[in-house]
Amino acid sequence: MEKILVTGAAGGVGTRLRKLMKGMYPSIRWSDIRKPDDLGTDEDFVVADLADPGAVERIVAGVEGVVHLGGYSIEGPWETILNSNIIGCYNLFEAVYRAGVKRVVFASSNHALGFYPRSQRVGVNVTVRPDSRYGISKAFGEAVGAFYADKHGLRVTCLRIGNVGDAPLDQRRLAIWLKPEDLVQLIRIGLEHRDIHFEIFYGASDNADAWWDNSNARRFGYKPTGKADEFRAQAMAEQAKLPPDPIGDRYQGGPFCSDEYDADRAG
Ligand code: 15L
């Protein structure tokens, strides 16, 4: 890979990646709907609204691989999710295909499967169970990726990311924490591994409480270095400060599941 594009450069994960991936490829173009506050003078950055197909065409021109983090990263109103994550994601894959880009690493999310109970271990061959409009948009993105891989030969890797941070923030994050350096490892597998066609990996470190079977990522050489267990005491201390959440605590998606939840009343 000589030249790659990373969307979502101004977001929390993008901001970390701009530091961690510096110099990793000969040329990295960063993009977002707004300029990052801490943009360095040596960084190649282009503003683009993913909902605008023309703007997306311009940012993908000349790149060999794309890391697609861009979009709205939490639950939001339908209009917002529709424009940023559904239309934006479609525009990205379509532009990539038309420009002859070879690979996409798509930042999916644990919220595409948030309604699996915490008691169930899930692998990559399960039905999606989104916990939010945001989760639906991530399931949509995975489907778009599979389509362009199968129909047009694009090499696509979907990362079902848990929670990226310096340390797990609470009990749920002990199961789904992703050390930023481990995310970089997963991205590099997606961009560089010879045998990628369409793959789904869980974006999680080596967590003792894991709910996900990440053997597919390990098959491609993923060796996570982060261990959430090392932060157990502090994560549980933070958990103790949170109010009880009977629905959120039952399901993998946590508060994304309890937010707007009225299934019991409907039944
Ligand atoms: C996500 O997908 C979000 O982008 C992030 O903001 C966190 O909410 C994370 O999931 C999580 O589940 O902790």
Side-chain angles (χ1 to χ4, degrees), residues 136-191:
I136 294 170
S137 75
K138 293 299 180 179
F140 171 83
E142 291 188 6
V144 176
F147 168 77
Y148 280 94
D150 292 337
K151 182 148 279 197
H152 300 300
L154 187 67
R155 292 164 179 256
V156 178
T157 305
C158 298
L159 304 180
R160 290 181 176 163
I161 298 176
N163 188 265
V164 180
D166 294 329
L169 299 170
D170 53 23
Q171 187 167 15
R172 189 175 78 87
R173 270 62 166 257
L174 281 172
I176 68 167
W177 178 56
L178 177 59
K179 183 175 160 179
E181 288 79 359
D182 290 342
L183 171 60
V184 173
Q185 230 191 97
L186 289 166
I187 288 173
R188 294 196 72 169
I189 293 170
L191 289 176

Side-chain angles (χ1 to χ4, degrees), residues 73-74 109-111 134 161-163 172-173 176 253 256:
S73 67
I74 51 171
S109 166
N110 70 92
H111 296 290
Y134 166 69
I161 298 176
N163 188 265
R172 189 175 78 87
R173 270 62 166 257
I176 68 167
F256 282 64

Side-chain angles (χ1 to χ4, degrees), residues 20 31 143 166 176 198:
L20 289 172
S31 180
D166 294 329
I176 68 167
F198 174 78

